[in-house]
Amino acid sequence: MAARKILTFAIMDAPYESARSTTALRLIDLALRRGCDVNVFAYEGAVAVPFAKQQPHPNAVHGRSVEEEDHPNPKDWVGALMAEAKKRGLTFNWVQCGLCVDERGATEWIEGPRRGSPADFWKFVEASDNTLVIPTK
Amino acid sequence: MPKKVLSIVATAYRATLEEQDDTVVWLMHALRGAGAPVDVLLRGNATNYAVKGQDASGLAFGERQQTQPPRVDQDVAKLAANGARVFLVEEDLAERGIERAELITGVESVARAALPTLLAGYDQVWHW
């Protein structure tokens, strides 16, 4: 049986700013569905993607309550991906750039991601079959 | 007399999946709700917002499914239905191969050459 592929993603965009954040998570979702182990290095604004204090809200313009709006918080998407990896017996590492976290005061995140540094990113890269950088523009 | 404002939207589909709408179109709805007589000009890639029948449903991460995908065409149509004038730049439509028949009702196309006259009719022009 062939060894599982390992993919590393470096992401930079903050949530709610760009389609790139969602695209990155869609690619990660697909990688997991195809049986790959996944590493994520969250750099710059991307450290806010799993920020724990994101809250859904009602939307008066849409005319929907908080329940009806079912507003997606990226932290829940990250949590869902982590649950998917666990269900499939895959490894899913998410490292938050520590200095980026400190700059932004984004020190609270959901269970799963951990604080790290560019050295962790390099370890991911060395251990991976490939790396995809999704930079901010 | 309230100030007349023309809001120009050029950036399209920026975080619309996360927001479940376009935040500038949303803001125009909210401002009109607050009494602001705001009109909208869609230019560049944002002209595609007026193409009817867009479907962004189906997004899922693991078992978390999106239940309220963005419906930007409907949001723009509601702006027009609520009294806002919604303009599209003719040349931007043509460059993207968008035919008139593909558009939602209630929108008006305007030639690039006519934009100075259009903009001059407003007290303020906001370019997002």
Side-chain angles (χ1 to χ4, degrees), chain B:
Chain B
M1 187 88 176
K3 290 188 175 74
K4 277 185 69 184
V5 175
L6 179 67
S7 205
I8 302 177
V9 184
T11 304
Y13 302 103
R14 190 187 62 82
T16 48
L17 285 166
E18 288 163 292
E19 296 283 3
Q20 304 193 146
D21 52 39
D22 175 276
T23 58
V24 177
V25 172
W26 184 94
L27 183 61
M28 296 309 111
H29 273 284
L31 289 173
R32 288 191 65 84
V38 183
D39 293 334
V40 174
L41 170 67
L42 302 175
R43 60 167 291 264
N45 289 335
T47 51
N48 204 73
Y49 278 4
V51 175
K52 61 188 171 192
Q54 298 179 43
D55 183 3
S57 63
L59 182 66
F61 296 106
E63 295 182 359
R64 178 74 157 87
Q65 296 192 338
Q66 186 167 40
T67 60
Q68 299 287 0
R71 299 173 179 90
V72 286
D73 55 341
Q74 295 176 34
D75 290 342
V76 172
K78 282 181 199 162
L79 268 179
N82 290 339
R85 295 185 74 183
V86 178
F87 302 99
L88 308 168
V89 178
E90 280 177 7
E91 289 86 344
D92 291 347
L93 290 169
E95 285 167 6
R96 288 159 181 79
I98 300 171
E99 303 285 347
R100 181 79 210 178
E102 298 176 86
L103 301 176
I104 55 176
T105 56
V107 294
E108 307 170 53
S109 58
V110 58
R112 255 182 218 144
L115 289 177
T117 304
L118 177 70
L119 270 58
Y122 289 88
D123 298 303
Q124 294 189 15
V125 175
W126 301 342
H127 194 291
W128 298 90

Side-chain angles (χ1 to χ4, degrees), chain A residues 15-19 21-22 25-26 29 33 59 61-62 64 68-72 74 77 80-81 84 87, chain B residues 13-15 17-21 26 29-30 59-69 71 75 78:
Chain A
Y16 299 109
E17 295 293 341
S18 158
S21 306
T22 312
L25 296 180
R26 290 177 70 186
D29 182 73
R33 289 178 193 276
N59 197 313
V61 166
H62 297 167
R64 294 194 288 253
E68 291 165 339
E69 179 69 7
D70 193 17
H71 195 95
W77 288 349
L81 290 172
E84 187 68 20
K87 186 174 81 179
Chain B
Y13 302 103
R14 190 187 62 82
L17 285 166
E18 288 163 292
E19 296 283 3
Q20 304 193 146
D21 52 39
W26 184 94
H29 273 284
L59 182 66
F61 296 106
E63 295 182 359
R64 178 74 157 87
Q65 296 192 338
Q66 186 167 40
T67 60
Q68 299 287 0
R71 299 173 179 90
D75 290 342
K78 282 181 199 162

